[in-house]
């Protein structure tokens, strides 16, 4: 008989070997929505965003009125033409008061048209409420009509002035025909009917110094108005 050996022990569990309680098991990395508020909020936000994107795809897209394209093109051309003409006048008439600091600024459209007031952006005239489409159309028509009247007045003044400059023996300066042509093109694009303003004919001997000084005054004023017209056309084309 062999000597009795040690009593056999039951196999030790891994939990017992590590000293852990048998009930202590690794906690799952997943959790319920009620236990993970941050994850729940992320899920809700994602669903809302997807819903908004789906709604945005179904909204109508605003497109510019194609009728404004010619007006915008002509207004940009007009601004370049009058700026070039003003630069030419400054260089040619350097012995005349022709800079913005030297001239007496004059607006021939004052009290005759209301372009600045009529062409305010519509957002500035809503006073906190939405404009009806009828009123919006009326204000746009009033704005464009006022621009047309401005162009007509300057066209008459420039043509009368150019007729005097052509009589100058020095033949020092004349109005750019391209500028006069683009004024006419923009007026045609605006397509308003108004009374023709007759040109004033004078029997007096022309004062060429005064005429050239007046030319500088008109060019400065007209360039400011051309900037306004270009901004209005850009705004209307974009909206």
């Amino acid at each position: 008989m062999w000597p009795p050996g040690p009593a056999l022990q039951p196999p030790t569990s891994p939990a017992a070997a590590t000293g852990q309680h048998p009930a202590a098991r690794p906690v799952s990395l997943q959790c319920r929505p009620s236990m993970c508020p941050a994850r729940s909020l992320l899920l809700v936000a994602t669903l809302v965003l997807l819903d908004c994107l789906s709604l945005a795809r179904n909204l109508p897209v605003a497109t510019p009125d194609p009728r404004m394209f010619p007006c915008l093109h002509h207004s940009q051309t007009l601004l370049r033409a009058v700026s070039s003409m003003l630069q030419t006048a400054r260089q040619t008439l350097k012995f005349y008061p022709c800079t913005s600091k030297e001239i007496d600024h004059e607006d021939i459209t004052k009290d005759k048209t209301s372009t600045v007031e009529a062409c305010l952006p519509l957002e500035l005239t809503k006073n906190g409420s939405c404009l009806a489409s009828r009123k919006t159309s009326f204000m746009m028509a009033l704005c464009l009509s006022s621009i047309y009247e401005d162009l007509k007045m300057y066209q008459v003044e420039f043509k009368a002035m150019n007729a005097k400059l052509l009589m100058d023996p020095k033949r020092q300066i004349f109005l750019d025909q391209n500028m006069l042509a683009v004024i006419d093109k923009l007026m045609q694009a605006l397509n308003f009917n108004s009374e023709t303003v007759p040109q004033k004919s004078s029997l007096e001997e022309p004062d060429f110094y005064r005429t050239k000084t007046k030319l500088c005054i008109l060019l400065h004023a007209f360039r400011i108005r051309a900037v306004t017209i270009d901004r209005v056309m850009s705004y209307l084309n974009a909206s």
Side-chain angles (χ1 to χ4, degrees):
M1 296 289 295
W2 292 97
L8 294 176
Q9 300 294 329
T12 305
S13 66
T18 57
Q20 294 180 351
H21 192 275
R25 295 186 176 89
V27 179
S28 175
L29 296 178
Q30 296 181 352
C31 58
R32 299 177 182 177
S34 59
M35 299 175 62
C36 299
R39 184 174 299 180
S40 300
L41 290 175
L42 179 60
L43 177 60
V44 172
T46 303
L47 293 175
V48 172
L49 178 60
L50 292 175
D51 185 62
C52 291
L53 292 175
S54 176
L55 178 62
R57 285 194 294 265
N58 296 327
L59 291 176
V61 179
T63 56
D65 189 343
R67 294 174 298 178
M68 295 307 302
F69 292 156
C71 294
L72 175 61
H73 170 71
H74 293 318
S75 68
Q76 294 171 342
T77 306
L78 175 62
L79 180 56
R80 290 192 295 267
V82 67
S83 298
S84 176
M85 183 66 222
L86 179 57
Q87 183 64 24
T88 300
R90 286 172 176 169
Q91 295 173 352
T92 306
L93 305 175
K94 56 184 178 180
F95 297 112
Y96 293 76
C98 202
T99 66
S100 59
K101 296 181 179 179
E102 295 172 328
I103 65 170
D104 295 325
H105 292 273
E106 178 185 349
D107 182 10
I108 63 173
T109 66
K110 185 178 180 181
D111 301 327
K112 296 178 182 178
T113 63
S114 57
T115 301
V116 176
E117 294 81 5
C119 294
L120 279 174
L122 298 180
E123 287 83 357
L124 300 181
T125 61
K126 290 182 180 180
N127 296 323
S129 61
C130 294
L131 286 170
S133 59
R134 182 179 300 178
K135 186 174 182 180
T136 303
S137 301
F138 171 77
M139 293 181 66
M140 182 183 297
L142 181 62
C143 168
L144 297 179
S145 175
S146 185
I147 289 175
Y148 180 90
E149 295 298 327
D150 288 346
L151 294 172
K152 184 174 66 174
M153 278 188 278
Y154 276 105
Q155 183 187 54
V156 171
E157 289 289 333
F158 282 136
K159 285 184 176 181
M161 187 168 292
N162 204 42
K164 292 181 180 180
L165 293 173
L166 289 172
M167 299 169 60
D168 182 13
K170 296 181 180 180
R171 304 186 69 82
Q172 190 175 12
I173 189 172
F174 308 107
L175 279 168
D176 183 11
Q177 293 299 315
N178 291 330
M179 186 187 77
L180 297 177
V182 75
I183 292 176
D184 189 61
K185 289 179 180 178
L186 182 51
M187 291 174 64
Q188 292 179 11
L190 290 170
N191 194 25
F192 281 94
N193 295 322
S194 62
E195 297 180 1
T196 304
V197 178
Q199 292 189 9
K200 299 178 182 179
S201 57
S202 176
L203 300 177
E204 299 179 0
E205 191 72 18
D207 185 340
F208 296 115
Y209 181 87
R210 183 179 179 182
T211 300
K212 294 169 187 177
T213 302
K214 183 66 177 292
L215 172 64
C216 291
I217 294 174
L218 281 182
L219 286 174
H220 276 283
F222 189 51
R223 188 188 180 282
I224 295 174
R225 188 50 48 91
V227 169
T228 301
I229 293 172
D230 180 60
R231 289 177 178 175
V232 168
M233 296 305 175
S234 298
Y235 174 81
L236 293 178
N237 183 73
S239 59

